[in-house]
Amino acid sequence: GYGEVATYHSGTSNGKKLISVINGGRPCILMVHGHYKYGDHGVLALGYQQYVYKHFYGNSEETYIRIMDGWTNKANRFVWGNCSGSWNYVTVDL
C-alpha cells in the first residue's frame, strides 16, 4: 500500500548478484536450498566479503555473504557463494 515492490530473483551467480544490491544499501532475503548446514532456509543478507585465492593454475575470486540466520541474534555468519545447493533471493524497493 506504500509503493513497495518485492522482486524474486532466481540464482545468485555464486553470490555475485547480491553485491550490487548490498552496495545499494538494501539488505535482501536470501533463500538457500540444499545447504549443508541450513538445508532449505531463509536468511537476511546484510554484507559480503570477497577473497582472491591464488593457485598455480590461476586465481579464483570467491564471495561470502554475511547473514543473519535467525538462529542467533547477531549477523556474524557467512555463507560461501560457491557452496553446494542453490540460492534465490528477494529484494524490496521502497
Side-chain angles (χ1 to χ4, degrees):
Y2 297 100
E4 305 89 3
V5 176
T7 306
Y8 172 82
H9 304 270
S10 180
T12 66
S13 187
N14 296 332
K16 289 176 179 55
K17 288 184 179 179
L18 298 176
I19 291 172
S20 63
V21 175
I22 293 167
N23 283 347
R26 297 180 297 146
C28 62
I29 301 298
L30 174 63
M31 294 158 296
V32 296
H33 308 283
H35 190 271
Y36 78 96
K37 179 175 185 164
Y38 294 109
D40 298 333
H41 188 63
V43 297
L44 183 62
L46 297 167
Y48 67 93
Q49 292 287 321
Q50 289 187 296
Y51 298 95
V52 175
Y53 296 102
K54 296 182 180 189
H55 307 283
F56 69 90
Y57 52 84
N59 298 341
S60 63
E61 183 176 86
E62 302 294 339
T63 303
Y64 296 81
I65 304 297
R66 184 171 59 96
I67 63 167
M68 181 150 217
D69 60 14
W71 294 357
T72 68
N73 61 355
K74 295 180 182 174
N76 59 356
R77 295 187 179 174
F78 287 81
V79 288
W80 176 40
N82 203 19
C83 66
S84 63
S86 61
W87 294 3
N88 299 304
Y89 64 107
V90 175
T91 57
V92 177
D93 295 315
L94 302 175

